[in-house]
Amino acid sequence: MPRPLLAVAVAALVLALAGAHGFRIEEASVDSIQLGFNNGSLTSVDLVRFYLDRISRLNRLLHAVIEVNPDALPQAARADAERCSGRHRRAIGALHGVPVLLKDNIATRDALNTTAGSFALLGSVVRRDAGVVRRLRRAGAVVLGKPARQTWTSGPTSAASPVAAGAPAAAGAGMAAVTLGTETDGSILCPASLNSVVGIKPTVGLTSRAGVIPITPRQDTVGPICHTVADAVHVLDAIVGYDARDATPTMEASKYIPHGGYMQFLKKGGLGGKRIGVPSGFFNFPNGTVQQMAYAQHLNTMRKQGAVVIENLDIENLSVLLDSQNNGQQIALPAEFKLSLNSYLSNLLYSPVRSLAEIIAFNNAHPVEENMKENGQTVFLVAENTTGIGASEREAISQLNKLSANGLKKLMREHELDAIVTPNNAVSSVLAIDGMPAITVPAGYGKLGVPFGLCFGGLRGYEPRLIEMAYAFEQVTMVRKTPTFLP
Ligand SMILES: *[C@@H]1O[C@H](CO)[C@@H](O)[C@H](O)[C@H]1NC(C)=O
Ligand SMILES: *[C@@H]1O[C@H](CO)[C@@H](O)[C@H](O)[C@H]1NC(C)=O
Ligand SMILES: *[C@@H]1O[C@H](CO)[C@@H](O)[C@H](O)[C@H]1NC(C)=O
Ligand SMILES: *[C@@H]1O[C@H](CO)[C@@H](O)[C@H](O)[C@H]1NC(C)=O
Ligand SMILES: *[C@@H]1O[C@H](CO)[C@@H](O)[C@H](O)[C@H]1NC(C)=O
């Protein structure tokens, strides 16, 4: 991709910047990038060139980025020109000129494809940018590309699936300053934890889902995956808010958005006075393992920072809550998926496929490309069989709501908790069914160097206090290490 001349220029740039006070682009924070822009040592074009080169080199190993935006360099040049002209002075925010990667289910009305990893959607044309992308562009961010397309035959991403790994792997490997992911049940929290980066899963409705290839509007949410809590909060600030194309949920959730935005909650003392619950059933690591020792130490650290940490709390019906076969999700989700996906497909300006039925037929016709042997498409077949939200779906949704009301919501109220802490994405289903938010922060590295995270979860609208706790925890532990790649 980069021509030899460009590669030489990039190499020179890296050398030049490496000399400057240990500033390393691939780990650079949004704040230090803005500092570089303002003090003249860095331009947006430099940054984009650096990342394009890094993507082309690391991609052979990581396959993390599938498409780069041919318009990224011109966008960066425009951002540089705007900054120099001073014309947009007032409008220049933290993300101005900053390259972002978007998960491949977030629509962009540009040269990039939006496929959610399915060849069936390659060449489909969206009417407009997704709501979150419009906000990012308004903030002056540069759309750098989209993380790995992988086959979509297995249907909705499962918590443990590598399908969603593109964005966090790219973030972890320093292939973009910031990235955006989406979560239905774990797809931000899990890969962020496993890549030693920070993921924010916002309250459902806080960020617009318009133009995002859906699984279920009841649970889908868009959020940042970045190196640091501060970077993720910069992105959150840029993407939250009302969107007429996702009107009711974004209107409803906009009451949670604090005046002055979320950056004010980055407080070093943010753990002080917080009541943090540790629900039973999640930290089942044998004594003496790295995880067990690290998490025990983290709880002590939080206590030392002034938090009240309450252990051994029981979430009522936890085993049912975590069991998607029995909690109601298995009935509600397929029907919601079919309805919302068909609606997305029918709204496209052009598409090779216009319905779930046509995607199923496409997969049958392209079994090799879609890895049908490994994945099958049971989830799609089950969804195609549904006929809308009927009596059994309504009953399932009301069971989910009841489980949540008697489960985590009741526990948090009874103990006046500001958050619960759990490992990685272990609690994601409990949060997912009620649209609740969470932030995962790097918490350690296991035996083979595999990272793990600590997740702060709370009730809808708890982002301000979750940010306080996550930021204070991050600042006092500083667990994340710059990744090294084996040859
Ligand atoms: C300019 O910004 C860069 C990048 O943030 C930083 O490393 C460097 O120290 C800054 N130089 C001055 C003189 O402030
Ligand atoms: C989008 O997909 C088409 C069809 O495969 C391809 O030709 C094009 O290069 C893709 N766009 C980008 C930016 O990679
Ligand atoms: C782990 O250690 C703690 C305290 O040392 C002890 O109370 C507990 O029983 C041990 N658990 C197991 C599973 O060995
Ligand atoms: C679809 O529904 C029919 C009739 O209820 C049933 O026999 C079939 O097993 C279902 N298929 C799937 C994949 O669920
Ligand atoms: C939760 O468990 C209690 C008993 O512990 C039971 O009475 C109740 O029906 C359960 N709630 C749901 C929604 O399953």
Side-chain angles (χ1 to χ4, degrees), residues 66 72 100 137 177 214 225 245 247 331 340 362 374 385 437 453 477:
I66 186 76
V100 304
R137 291 203 206 271
I225 297 165
R245 298 187 191 281
I331 294 169
S340 51
F362 179 94
E374 294 89 328
N385 237 358
T477 55

Side-chain angles (χ1 to χ4, degrees), residues 5 7 57 71 86 111 117 146 153 160 163 165 195 210 228 242 263-264 287 323 349 353 412-413 439 452 470 476:
L5 255 182
R57 281 183 298 116
D71 196 36
K146 293 194 175 170
T153 33
V163 169
N195 285 281
T228 65
Y242 173 73
M263 289 302 285
Q264 60 186 305
N287 276 349
D323 178 3
L349 213 50
V353 289
M412 295 211 47
R413 256 199 325 276
I439 305 181
F452 52 89
V476 73

Side-chain angles (χ1 to χ4, degrees), residues 3 12 22 55 64 79 84 127 214 216 252 268 293 320 328 353 404 414 437 451 458 461:
R3 288 148 300 168
I55 287 169
C84 287
R127 281 180 196 277
T216 165
E252 169 88 2
K268 286 226 162 94
M293 292 188 290
V320 186
V353 289
S404 190
E414 279 180 3

Side-chain angles (χ1 to χ4, degrees), residues 78-144:
R78 275 198 298 280
D80 288 335
E82 276 176 14
R83 192 179 315 107
C84 287
S85 76
R87 266 189 303 120
H88 294 69
R89 254 285 166 260
R90 240 162 26 114
I92 286 182
L95 296 185
H96 189 271
V98 172
V100 304
L101 284 173
L102 306 168
K103 187 171 165 184
D104 187 33
N105 61 344
I106 301 173
T108 50
R109 182 87 169 97
D110 55 15
L112 294 164
N113 294 289
T114 304
T115 72
S118 173
F119 286 106
L121 279 170
L122 203 52
S124 67
V125 181
V126 301
R127 281 180 196 277
R128 55 186 76 81
D129 282 337
V132 288
V133 175
R134 272 209 310 284
R135 285 182 179 274
L136 283 175
R137 291 203 206 271
R138 224 179 292 150
V142 175
V143 175
L144 187 64

